Amino acid sequence: MPQHRTVLHSDPKWAVERVLQQAAPCQWSPSYVVDSQRWVLPVIGLSEFRVAGQRVLLDGLTALCLPTGVPYQMRPLQATDRVSFVVSARPGAPLPPLKTPAVCILAPRSLWQMRLHWRGTQGDAASPFMQAVPEQRGGAGGIAAGPGTRGSERVWRARQFMAQRVSAADGKPWSVQHVADAVNCSAFHLAHVFRQNTGMSLHGYRQRLLLALALQRLEDGETDLAGLAHDLGYCSQSHLGAVFRREVGVTLAQARSALKR
């Protein structure tokens, strides 16, 4: 798949790259193998990985660690350009062995801290990321697992639907009921199985996806905060600003200024 890599940070233990993959057909890639542990954090676009007999859905919040020497395949789930952060351990780095893929869902505050760290800090490139990961890290059979039971299949489809709606950023309102309708079950039942599988509410997950996109839009140079709030489906700039400050820890204007630099 055609791609462009930009090195954001490098030190003796880790390398951090921003990877732009051009729009490609939604089909599986050839099989690849990494020579050292590699974390993939999508920020734009939706994709699926197949590794160690598991299917893992990667959206704007989910991070996947690929074990050394384990074959994997990937495919885009949207025919659009995709952007990811890739955190790669240097060959020979002293890390605990990982024989199966690990996945976690990152909070918007962690995504914000990583962006700041990778833009100018001279310390350990992976420090803020690795501090955030252990809180929700688990095998691929957990929060990011592919469809298995009927409940987990619905959670998978709900996550995919929400990620696609968020990436559309068309200002059209949508709710948890729309998600339930898309997966053909009641909102009550979906809320129950979703929390069982992810540890989060549907509303909380949806909000985190929106804030992750807001961060990316600000980093891409967005200056119209009112327009950003409208595109993400918030009723006003002040509404988005209040949620953003609570979950990220800074105001929209502060984030815009910091990421612009």
Side-chain angles (χ1 to χ4, degrees), residues 16 56 83 102 169 195:
V16 181
V56 182
V83 178
R195 189 179 287 276

Side-chain angles (χ1 to χ4, degrees), residues 153-189:
E153 180 178 356
R154 283 174 169 160
V155 170
W156 172 281
R157 289 164 55 200
R159 291 179 56 225
Q160 182 173 350
F161 175 85
M162 288 190 286
Q164 290 172 333
R165 289 297 300 122
V166 166
S167 64
D170 54 13
K172 296 180 179 179
W174 56 282
S175 66
V176 168
Q177 186 60 55
H178 289 96
V179 184
D181 291 343
V183 301
N184 297 316
C185 73
S186 71
F188 177 82
H189 178 70

Side-chain angles (χ1 to χ4, degrees), residues 194-212:
F194 194 90
R195 189 179 287 276
Q196 270 191 328
N197 277 263
T198 68
M200 298 177 62
S201 69
L202 280 161
H203 174 74
Y205 198 89
R206 172 182 179 270
Q207 184 159 278
R208 284 191 175 191
L209 284 170
L210 290 167
L211 294 176

Side-chain angles (χ1 to χ4, degrees), residues 24 27 129 145 198 260:
Q27 59 189 28
F129 172 65
T198 68
K260 182 178 180 179

Side-chain angles (χ1 to χ4, degrees), residues 28-32 48-51 71-75:
W28 288 106
S29 71
S31 182
Y32 301 109
E48 179 182 2
F49 277 66
R50 189 158 58 190
V51 53
Y72 71 93
Q73 292 176 282
M74 56 185 176
R75 67 169 177 172

Side-chain angles (χ1 to χ4, degrees), residues 34 36-40 49 51 64-68 72 98 101-102:
V34 295
S36 64
Q37 284 188 27
R38 178 176 299 173
W39 284 93
V40 183
F49 277 66
V51 53
L64 164 68
C65 187
L66 297 167
T68 303
Y72 71 93
L98 184 68

